[in-house]
Amino acid sequence: MTDKQIEKVIAKIEKYKKALAADKKYWDGQYRDGQGIRYIIPKQFIKIRDCKGGLRYLNWFDKNFSDDSGYPIFLFEWTFILFKCDKLLDAEQKAHRPFFSNTFLFDIFLEKEPLPLDKNESLNWEYQLLVENFAYTNKDTEFIEFAGWAAKILSSREFLEKANEFIEIERQLKNEPVGQRRTELVNRSSKIKYG
């Protein structure tokens, strides 16, 4: 990127931060952010290769939106930023979240054929369609090292055991009617997703 392009992205980040501050002021000290502005800021830091700035933002996000589960692409960006800042243990823990939010995301990124899984996809961001036009690629020089690391994490025994259990639960949820058994399955799935 040229200096001028970087300046434009920095100006965009500041604009988004001001919009979030205005949102908080409008809602008497609470963030509502119905537009989802909070999710598009990490992408801007990645564009200008300022992962330290991205990490500062994500720490702020975690403090101010601690109960926000995020969505797959945002969680992927968070994992990438942690990786680039050498927060490898945190990145490894975070890498599970984008997978459990959308099981297709890492397959698309790593250019693997997504497995057709007969499972519950009750939320919009669980569908393959969400990541078919995924902006990040393992061939981008900025992502090559991350792709190798992610492939290793996703093939670890610990991860595969969790993934298999999660997918089996989601398969059962697909046809499980409302009731105690479904509640138990949802709770088990949430425990895997969010630790």
Side-chain angles (χ1 to χ4, degrees):
M1 292 186 97
T2 66
D3 289 344
K4 199 164 198 103
Q5 289 170 320
I6 291 171
E7 285 174 20
K8 283 184 179 180
V9 173
I10 291 170
K12 201 182 279 190
I13 291 169
E14 291 308 313
K15 178 181 156 191
Y16 294 149
K17 286 180 177 179
K18 285 178 184 174
L20 286 171
D23 179 70
K24 182 178 181 178
K25 185 176 180 182
Y26 182 82
W27 295 106
D28 294 324
Q30 301 293 317
Y31 289 102
R32 297 274 173 98
D33 187 29
Q35 298 174 58
I37 294 169
R38 65 192 180 275
Y39 299 127
I40 57 179
I41 294 174
K43 181 179 184 176
Q44 306 309 312
F45 282 108
I46 291 170
K47 271 185 190 176
I48 60 173
R49 297 182 178 194
D50 179 9
C51 288
K52 289 198 187 310
L55 185 58
R56 281 190 301 276
Y57 171 75
L58 290 167
N59 287 334
W60 173 88
F61 177 94
D62 205 25
K63 181 180 174 188
N64 290 283
F65 296 96
S66 58
D67 61 345
D68 191 322
S69 60
Y71 76 105
I73 296 170
F74 173 79
L75 295 168
F76 175 90
E77 292 165 341
W78 196 333
T79 305
F80 174 74
I81 288 171
L82 287 167
F83 173 81
K84 292 299 277 187
C85 290
D86 290 325
K87 304 278 186 185
L88 299 182
L89 188 58
D90 293 339
E92 185 174 343
Q93 292 170 344
K94 189 64 75 179
H96 296 202
R97 299 262 317 271
F99 175 84
F100 294 125
S101 295
N102 185 304
T103 55
F104 306 105
L105 187 141
F106 275 109
D107 284 342
I108 299 292
F109 173 68
L110 296 170
E111 296 182 333
K112 293 181 176 181
E113 187 65 33
L115 296 173
L117 302 171
D118 182 30
K119 65 181 182 61
N120 182 46
E121 292 180 336
S122 58
L123 302 171
N124 290 339
W125 56 75
E126 293 175 348
Y127 293 102
Q128 183 174 352
L129 188 62
L130 174 76
V131 293
E132 283 184 350
N133 296 312
F134 192 48
Y136 304 109
T137 171
N138 65 350
K139 288 189 170 58
D140 182 334
T141 54
E142 186 74 3
F143 286 87
I144 291 172
E145 190 179 349
F146 175 72
W149 173 86
K152 185 178 174 186
I153 295 300
L154 299 175
S155 63
S156 72
R157 176 184 286 218
E158 177 196 358
F159 177 78
L160 291 173
E161 286 175 0
K162 275 186 179 179
N164 288 333
E165 182 182 0
F166 174 77
I167 290 165
E168 181 54 36
I169 292 168
E170 293 299 307
R171 278 192 185 124
Q172 292 175 38
L173 278 170
K174 188 171 183 180
N175 298 310
E176 186 66 38
V178 174
Q180 184 177 352
R181 171 85 175 126
R182 182 174 184 81
T183 300
E184 289 169 5
L185 290 170
V186 168
N187 289 340
R188 281 178 57 203
S189 176
S190 293
K191 188 174 181 182
I192 293 169
K193 272 185 181 181
Y194 307 114

